[in-house]
Amino acid sequence: MTSADLHDHMLEVKDISLSFQGVKAIHQLSFAVSRGEICALIGPNGAGKSSLLNILNGVYQPDSGEVHYEHAHFSRLTPFEAARRGIGRTFQNNALFGKLAVIDNILTGLSRHSRVSVLEQAFGLPRARREAADFLQRSEAVLAFLELQPYRQTLVGNLAYGLQKRVELGRALVSSPKLLLLDEPMAGMNAEEKQDMSHFIRSINRDLGTTVVLIEHDIGVIMDLSDHVVVLDYGRKVGDGSPAEVQANPEVIAAYLGSDNGPLNTVH
Amino acid sequence: MLFLETLIGGLLAGTMYSLVAIGFVLIYKASGVFNFAQGAILLFSALLLVTLHEHGVPFVLAVLITLVALILLSILIERLVLRPLTNRSPMTLFMATLGVSYVIEGVAQGLMGANVHALDVGIEDVPVFIGDLMISQFDLIAAITAGVLVGVLALLFNKTRIGISLRAVADDTRAALSIGIHLNRIWQIVWAVAGVTGLVAGMLWGTRQGVQFSLSLVVLKALPVLIIGGFTSIGGAIVGGLIVGAGESLGEAYIGPLIGGGITPWFAYFLALAFLFYRPAGIFGERAIERV
Amino acid sequence: MSVSTQCALFSLSAAGWITRMRLQVGHWFSHGRVPYAWLVLSLVAVGVPLVSGDYWLNAILIPFLILSLAGLGLNVLTGYAGQTSLGSGGFMAVGAFATYACLIHFQLSFLLAIFLGGGVAALVGLFFGLPSAKIKGFYLMVTSLAAQFFLEWVFVKFPWFYNYSSSATISSPPITVFGWAIASPLSKYYLVLVLVSFLTWVAVNLTRSQVGRNWMAIRDMDTAAAVIGIRVHRSKILAFAISSFYLGIAGALWVFAYLGSAGVQSFSLQRSFQVLFIIIIGGLGSISGNFIGAAFISLLPLLLDFLAHTFFARMVDAGLLQNLQKVIFGSLIVWFLIKEPEGIARFISHLRGRLAVWPLRF
């Protein structure tokens, strides 16, 4: 009996395969994410981590296999459907709306909650104004939580990379997702910024009860932050378990021997 | 028989569309620019050629002078428009070429007038018979010219250093830069070569319908060709041109009468749209994989 | 207390006073709530025609306002939602011919007719926007050209649309709005002013609402927009419909308040280019940019004409002047795309920012 059976699985990936023009990116991958945990995906560049996240929120369609999410199963999921079911997402190379201010970027995250018709918005009718005020309030709260208030009106395109990552997190967070998929939320950050970001992610997880799946290279951060680690190499799963288990797994260590950017090399 | 004649007439006319479209493809491959000014360049070169010829310059010399003018024009466009707009969005570049086309049209007509000039390159537009089929001799020669030009271009791009550099740029601009290919020079050359295809197309169209402003509108004929053939394939431009040419003349002959005629201005576009739904990147175009 | 003391000290110096005025003016124009700026603008808009002649009304102010409205329409689609279109002329034609049909064939009142005309244009725009689900960029732009040429053809081929007149043109019947005859240039101007103001207000609401943010999100990165739960295709189609509605109203006004009678050639591809130039020069994704761009495009020919006649009297003929105009427009387009890709509207706001701090540099 594995530990997985005891848990309430929010997300379960079964035998997923994906290839690009004949090149296998992901091969018969299965794993499960329990409700309320922080799950880290690790593995060298090109191991298929980002592709996996893209499958989880419908940007890519897997060639075969199924995704079970909240007791519903999908073989085809669209990005919109994923968002509607409460899956939030950030990207490795920030996918923000460059010509919009920080606050407007956050506000776009609420679009799927909008219930007011176009005509009501066009004529600025009371319901539209109430919703706008409500959205603004929710976005301001996210700005405050992520300490982004000083940049409220700055165009995102002009922000530093680390801050952009934070805005992207805010845009996903504002729609109150049940599951957050974070693709290298700390890439390119210095130690202090990483600490801030870890803190934000942990408090999103603890205080809001949001389940988090993240991709990260810094093993120190992973040991500190995650409850569960899945290791990928060449599109296959080579390790799955608690951070300590994974670190001790000989197969995982083997997968990283000789790999320059293997995360385990950074453990000291 | 009527069907076959219509089809062949359309195919031959289509080669001229292909010729215009090839100019587009060359520039699009090399610099990622959707060059709306191709029509204006075509008008400019034909107008310059015919004006020089009318002023007593021998035909061959007039062609040479026009070629030099096209090269100068390409260098100017590269320096003044493309270089300052490096790394800007494709739409911005497209709009810039729209501006360029206004400038070229204005200059060409301002200097050389807006009258219709007859251009005689020594080909008569008389029908010839192949068996029972009646075919325009002019269309036939135009098609052969287009074929020869395409052959020359193919040689140029497959056998010469410039051609290989061009293909390197088209495949991966950054990698090409890193191995020391001079991007700006490549752009100038490609624009000039595209200008030459424009000149040939301009001469053929000009002979057919007179050299006048409406020549610059053939650019509008080339767009559906590009949609059908794809923006990045010369072979696609040829096949696309043939499909549009044949489609237009068959459409006008068989569908036109049912709905009032005069459908050529839009028929090719609808044909292109139909293709678009079937193959969103054209017959030979490369489908870009979106990376996120 | 201390603030008022500071203010008192500040206003002692002339430079301080100028600064304050500049900041104040900058403030009026740069924020949403701008009662004074609006008041001034409204007074000018209402008052100027009372002192200017019919020539200015007929030849400049009315077409300027209508072109601004057309720019607004295209800007919704291109500047906000990021979908380039060369079919503006075609959608203007739909608005004009549909309004005419409502007036002549269905005997409707003018206001009802023009809004229905806009509605028909919106439906046609929606239809030609459908392919935006599958195709993007240049491919989509070619779709808009298909619309342009197809619509031009429709309004020539089917005489019903121009009531079987031999010239294939539509002519404005006598128009009344709430019993008020719209015949004099002044009354036409006010009609256009009221409609354009109203529609501008609606556009401002839309672009600042969630709908507008969705458009801009799609413009900046449509994959990300889908991932955060924006209905991308629905938003694009909405942009097509609203854009065409505005263009349709503009087209109807072009015939019924400006030209008086027109054929489809008033809405050719050249018109599409003109509207596109207005928004490039004025500012993509800016409401005021449409008015600035339209003013620019309306006034530049007059200025050139004036210069030519003053300095080179009789040396330049009309044809040369027209070509010169083309060269200048073309160069300006390129220049703006290189130097000020967000148009004159952005240029002015930069300038204002600099002016506001300028005296402090002493």
Side-chain angles (χ1 to χ4, degrees):
Chain A
M1 185 163 99
T2 65
S3 64
D5 295 330
L6 299 172
H7 286 91
D8 171 16
H9 288 160
M10 175 177 233
L11 178 74
E12 214 176 337
V13 172
K14 283 187 177 165
D15 289 329
I16 289 280
S17 295
L18 176 74
S19 55
F20 294 112
Q21 287 158 348
V23 181
K24 283 221 160 71
I26 294 173
H27 188 69
Q28 298 203 322
L29 182 74
S30 302
F31 72 98
V33 177
S34 306
R35 187 179 308 281
E37 73 172 9
I38 296 182
C39 170
L41 297 174
I42 63 171
N45 289 330
K49 303 178 303 274
S50 292
S51 299
L52 180 60
L53 287 199
N54 279 336
I55 288 174
L56 292 184
N57 76 330
V59 177
Y60 292 164
Q61 308 294 340
D63 300 333
S64 62
E66 274 187 353
V67 176
H68 291 245
Y69 169 72
E70 290 284 32
H71 312 298
H73 67 94
F74 304 93
S75 49
R76 293 184 73 82
L77 186 66
T78 65
F80 175 77
E81 184 63 20
R84 203 180 67 79
R85 289 171 181 267
I87 301 180
R89 166 80 195 267
T90 70
F91 291 84
Q92 186 180 351
N93 306 310
N94 303 340
L96 288 161
F97 309 124
K99 289 185 192 159
L100 293 185
V102 169
I103 181 75
D104 288 313
N105 265 278
I106 306 276
L107 276 163
T108 55
L110 284 163
S111 273
R112 73 183 179 88
H113 292 296
S114 182
R115 296 288 172 270
V116 176
S117 73
V118 177
L119 281 181
E120 284 171 293
Q121 296 185 44
F123 297 113
L125 297 184
R127 248 166 57 89
R129 275 190 267 164
R130 270 200 303 278
E131 188 185 84
D134 171 46
F135 280 8
L136 194 62
Q137 201 187 352
R138 287 159 78 172
S139 301
E140 296 287 2
V142 167
L143 279 190
F145 171 67
L146 294 173
E147 295 161 23
L148 282 168
Q149 282 147 324
Y151 313 102
R152 198 175 179 285
Q153 292 297 343
T154 313
L155 295 190
V156 224
N158 301 336
L159 280 182
Y161 187 73
L163 285 169
Q164 289 192 2
K165 289 249 157 205
R166 231 192 272 176
V167 177
E168 215 188 351
L169 177 62
R171 187 182 65 185
L173 186 62
V174 74
S175 68
S176 327
K178 288 188 254 178
L179 172 64
L180 257 181
L181 310 174
L182 308 177
D183 197 342
E184 301 199 19
M186 289 164 235
M189 289 186 172
N190 62 30
E192 194 187 336
E193 288 173 318
K194 280 185 183 178
Q195 218 164 31
D196 286 345
M197 188 52 105
S198 294
H199 162 75
F200 291 136
I201 294 172
R202 188 178 296 114
S203 70
I204 289 167
N205 176 250
R206 301 262 157 85
D207 304 340
L208 305 175
T210 309
T211 309
V212 178
V213 175
L214 61 88
I215 295 175
E216 186 45 56
H217 281 300
D218 186 328
I219 199 72
V221 169
I222 291 164
M223 292 299 150
D224 188 39
L225 196 59
S226 51
D227 308 307
H228 172 197
V229 179
V230 174
V231 191
L232 301 187
D233 194 26
Y234 290 108
R236 292 162 197 272
K237 185 167 85 172
V238 293
D240 190 345
S242 72
E245 280 166 20
V246 163
Q247 212 172 4
N249 182 339
E251 210 184 330
V252 175
I253 295 167
Y256 283 106
L257 280 178
S259 156
D260 291 337
N261 48 6
L264 300 191
N265 293 346
T266 55
V267 189
H268 288 294
Chain B
M1 191 49 68
L2 176 66
F3 174 82
L4 213 55
E5 273 178 15
T6 316
L7 177 68
I8 291 174
L11 287 174
L12 292 175
T15 56
M16 296 215 282
Y17 297 156
S18 304
L19 214 48
V20 183
I22 286 169
F24 269 99
V25 170
L26 288 175
I27 288 177
Y28 190 82
K29 268 176 95 84
S31 47
V33 179
F34 184 92
N35 177 29
F36 198 84
Q38 187 69 12
I41 291 172
L42 196 148
L43 170 72
F44 167 80
S45 56
L47 206 53
L48 183 60
L49 179 71
V50 79
T51 308
L52 286 171
H53 194 44
E54 279 174 0
H55 283 76
V57 180
F59 189 74
V60 176
L61 188 61
V63 171
L64 285 178
I65 295 175
T66 308
L67 283 177
V68 172
L70 279 172
I71 291 167
L72 288 178
L73 184 65
S74 306
I75 293 174
L76 274 178
I77 291 176
E78 194 277 322
R79 281 275 159 83
L80 299 178
V81 184
L82 297 183
R83 205 176 290 183
L85 286 171
T86 316
N87 295 329
R88 297 280 279 278
S89 80
M91 266 310 160
T92 305
L93 284 159
F94 159 73
M95 291 184 200
T97 64
L98 203 57
V100 170
S101 76
Y102 265 54
V103 174
I104 296 175
E105 282 168 14
V107 168
Q109 290 194 295
L111 293 180
M112 298 177 275
N115 300 327
V116 183
H117 302 262
L119 177 63
D120 184 8
V121 291
I123 312 168
E124 274 185 86
D125 197 356
V126 292
V128 291
F129 287 89
I130 299 174
D132 284 340
L133 287 177
M134 187 182 77
I135 293 167
S136 153
Q137 183 194 344
F138 178 81
D139 281 348
L140 202 60
I141 292 177
I144 292 169
T145 312
V148 170
L149 188 71
V150 169
V152 171
L153 286 175
L155 276 180
L156 183 69
F157 287 120
N158 288 314
K159 301 291 178 204
T160 66
R161 255 183 76 88
I162 292 169
I164 292 162
S165 306
L166 166 74
R167 285 192 300 161
V169 170
D171 281 349
D172 188 340
T173 309
R174 222 172 280 166
L177 282 176
S178 71
I179 57 166
I181 289 173
H182 208 312
L183 195 58
N184 295 323
R185 179 55 43 81
I186 292 289
W187 282 353
Q188 289 168 2
I189 291 169
V190 169
W191 278 69
V193 173
V196 173
T197 66
L199 171 64
V200 176
M203 280 164 62
L204 295 173
W205 282 84
T207 309
R208 173 46 67 84
Q209 58 177 46
V211 176
Q212 54 176 322
F213 176 73
S214 67
L215 264 190
S216 68
L217 300 179
V218 299
V219 64
L220 298 172
K221 289 285 180 199
L223 294 182
V225 174
L226 290 170
I227 296 290
I228 292 174
F231 284 75
T232 50
S233 159
I234 290 183
I238 296 166
V239 175
L242 295 178
I243 292 176
V244 167
E248 262 188 7
S249 61
L250 291 176
E252 187 65 66
Y254 292 99
I255 302 173
L258 305 178
I259 50 173
I263 62 170
T264 34
W266 56 265
F267 186 74
Y269 281 89
F270 276 69
L271 203 62
L273 281 183
F275 267 88
L276 212 47
F277 273 92
Y278 178 62
R279 272 200 65 100
I283 297 176
F284 298 101
E286 299 140 17
R287 182 106 176 105
I289 296 174
E290 259 182 82
R291 288 258 163 222
V292 279
Chain C
M1 171 63 189
S2 74
V3 172
S4 65
T5 318
Q6 270 177 2
C7 278
L9 284 171
F10 206 27
S11 46
L12 281 178
S13 78
W17 183 80
I18 292 168
T19 311
R20 260 189 334 139
M21 282 309 291
R22 289 214 161 96
L23 287 172
Q24 193 69 56
V25 170
H27 177 79
W28 289 341
F29 281 93
S30 62
H31 291 276
R33 297 139 282 151
V34 281
Y36 299 106
W38 275 114
L39 200 65
V40 173
L41 267 180
S42 316
L43 281 178
V44 170
V46 175
V48 161
L50 298 174
V51 292
S52 71
D54 281 358
Y55 169 76
W56 266 80
L57 285 175
N58 263 335
I60 295 158
L61 288 174
I62 291 176
F64 151 70
L65 281 175
I66 301 173
L67 286 176
S68 306
L69 185 65
L72 199 53
L74 183 60
N75 223 329
V76 162
L77 186 63
T78 302
Y80 286 94
Q83 315 294 308
T84 307
S85 159
L86 291 177
S88 312
F91 297 124
M92 288 174 78
V94 173
F97 282 87
T99 304
Y100 184 73
C102 289
L103 287 171
I104 298 294
H105 296 302
F106 307 119
Q107 310 284 328
L108 299 177
S109 73
F110 180 73
L111 273 187
L112 188 59
I114 197 169
F115 277 100
L116 277 176
V120 172
L123 284 177
V124 176
L126 188 150
F127 175 77
F128 281 100
L130 290 177
S132 65
K134 282 190 83 173
I135 57 185
K136 290 180 187 175
F138 295 125
Y139 292 97
L140 189 64
M141 194 184 74
V142 173
T143 313
S144 73
L145 278 175
Q148 172 73 38
F149 294 131
F150 178 70
L151 292 169
E152 277 185 43
W153 175 81
V154 165
F155 295 123
V156 171
K157 276 294 162 201
F158 300 99
W160 183 83
F161 287 111
Y162 45 86
N163 201 22
Y164 308 96
S165 82
S166 55
S167 57
T169 57
I170 52 177
S171 302
S172 175
I175 294 170
T176 56
V177 171
F178 299 127
W180 183 45
I182 307 292
S184 70
L186 195 64
S187 60
K188 285 180 182 170
Y189 170 79
Y190 282 130
L191 172 71
V192 173
L193 182 67
V194 168
L195 281 174
V196 171
S197 307
F198 170 70
L199 289 168
T200 305
W201 173 73
V202 170
V204 169
N205 282 343
L206 277 175
T207 53
R208 286 186 186 162
S209 69
Q210 206 66 21
V211 174
R213 267 190 293 273
N214 290 350
W215 287 337
M216 291 184 270
I218 291 166
R219 171 195 70 193
D220 286 358
M221 196 164 195
D222 59 354
T223 317
V227 166
I228 61 171
I230 292 173
R231 291 175 187 273
V232 172
H233 187 215
R234 190 188 282 190
S235 291
K236 280 185 190 171
I237 286 183
L238 183 68
F240 270 96
I242 292 176
S243 162
S244 303
F245 178 81
Y246 276 72
L247 285 163
I249 301 265
L253 288 175
W254 195 252
V255 175
F256 297 103
Y258 173 46
L259 292 177
S261 111
V264 77
Q265 57 281 1
S266 295
F267 305 110
S268 65
L269 186 62
Q270 292 307 313
R271 180 74 58 212
S272 301
F273 285 151
Q274 188 188 32
V275 180
L276 182 64
F277 289 169
I278 286 173
I279 68 171
I280 295 176
I281 292 176
L284 291 166
S286 150
I287 298 285
S288 61
N290 303 304
F291 292 87
I292 297 168
F296 190 87
I297 225 161
S298 314
L299 293 177
L300 186 70
L302 290 181
L303 181 71
L304 283 179
D305 222 29
F306 171 76
L307 288 178
H309 281 105
T310 315
F311 297 108
F312 309 100
R314 278 184 297 280
M315 266 169 62
V316 279
D317 60 37
L320 187 60
L321 206 59
Q322 211 185 347
N323 285 316
L324 191 64
Q325 216 180 65
K326 270 190 115 166
V327 173
I328 290 176
F329 267 125
S331 318
L332 276 171
I333 293 294
V334 174
W335 188 84
F336 269 107
L337 289 170
I338 293 172
K339 294 288 177 196
E340 201 65 63
E342 288 174 72
I344 301 181
R346 176 53 62 90
F347 179 71
I348 290 177
S349 77
H350 279 170
L351 200 68
R352 213 168 46 216
R354 261 177 246 159
L355 275 181
V357 293
W358 166 67
L360 298 178
R361 291 230 200 106
F362 279 132

